[in-house]
């Protein structure tokens, strides 16, 4: 396997999703953090290629980079004497690795994939999705609950 070609393909596949996630977490700086994740992946390519899920490895690396950044920001705020910023974990974090695991996403129907994308990747609210689909809010919430259970089972 040509490692450079493989990394190029991985980059092309993951970059848009990772950039959207990083930009939501750190607006205006997402590209820098995604680039850093891929630089780490290249420098640690032996570990990356030995991983059972290289895409998940890159996602986890980006997740760690973003968490470190949040910790540093919190320290800076405390050092300056301001109030500590309380960070609320992005709901996408819990599902980030699932998104990139095609074997898991393969268990979803096209309708479930659209719901997954809207609710968990794009961050649309359940009430907005329910109105758009013309269904009650409870029905939308139940569909999301079943969808996440299905993905957990697939893991």
């Amino acid at each position: 396997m040509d490692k450079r070609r493989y990394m190029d393909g991985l980059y092309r596949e993951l970059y848009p999703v990772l950039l959207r996630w990083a930009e939501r977490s750190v607006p205006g700086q997402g590209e820098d953090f995604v680039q850093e994740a891929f630089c780490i992946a290249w420098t640690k390519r032996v570990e990356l290629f030995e991983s059972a899920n290289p895409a998940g490895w890159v996602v986890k690396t980006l997740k760690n980079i973003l968490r470190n950044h949040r910790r540093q920001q919190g320290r800076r705020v405390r050092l300056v004497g301001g109030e500590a910023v309380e960070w609320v974990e992005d709901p996408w974090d819990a599902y980030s690795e699932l998104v990139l695991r095609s074997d898991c996403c393969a268990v979803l129907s096209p309708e479930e994939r659209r719901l997954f994308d809207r609710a968990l990747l794009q961050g649309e609210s359940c009430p907005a999705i329910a109105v758009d689909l013309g269904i009650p809010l409870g029905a939308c919430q139940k569909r999301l609950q079943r969808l996440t259970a299905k993905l957990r089972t697939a893991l």
Side-chain angles (χ1 to χ4, degrees):
M1 162 184 7
D2 180 18
K3 292 183 179 179
R4 284 185 189 267
R5 228 184 228 161
Y6 182 80
M7 281 297 291
D8 185 51
L10 194 62
Y11 180 84
R12 290 177 192 277
E13 176 186 347
L14 299 179
Y15 183 80
V17 175
L18 296 181
L19 180 62
R20 189 168 57 221
W21 173 32
E23 278 294 323
R24 277 198 322 209
S25 296
V26 189
Q29 297 177 322
E31 187 173 0
D32 294 335
F33 291 113
V34 174
Q35 294 297 334
E36 184 179 347
F38 278 100
C39 285
I40 291 170
W42 182 250
T43 58
K44 296 186 176 190
R45 59 189 170 270
V46 173
E47 290 177 40
L48 176 73
F49 293 122
E50 288 176 356
S51 169
N53 180 10
W57 193 97
V58 175
V59 168
K60 195 171 193 173
T61 300
L62 179 59
K63 180 191 271 186
N64 291 336
I65 290 168
L66 292 172
R67 284 186 178 161
N68 287 340
H69 174 74
R70 287 186 202 102
R71 277 190 217 114
Q72 289 172 350
Q73 290 298 102
R75 283 188 202 116
R76 278 191 214 126
V77 169
R78 282 189 287 278
L79 289 174
V80 173
E83 292 182 20
V85 177
E86 186 173 333
W87 174 72
V88 178
E89 187 163 332
D90 188 284
W92 199 79
D93 281 352
Y95 302 99
S96 59
E97 291 183 46
L98 293 176
V99 173
L100 300 169
R101 295 180 120 177
S102 58
D103 55 331
C104 292
C105 286
V107 301
L108 301 178
S109 70
E111 181 181 317
E112 290 171 326
R113 278 178 170 250
R114 283 190 297 278
L115 182 61
F116 178 79
D117 182 60
R118 290 178 69 178
L120 302 172
L121 297 182
Q122 296 177 18
E124 287 186 49
S125 68
C126 216
I129 295 171
V131 167
D132 190 43
L133 294 177
I135 59 174
L137 177 60
C140 184
Q141 291 169 332
K142 192 64 178 176
R143 287 181 188 181
L144 277 172
Q145 182 183 17
R146 288 183 184 135
L147 183 148
T148 54
K150 196 177 204 182
L151 287 171
R152 280 191 199 104
T153 303
L155 281 175

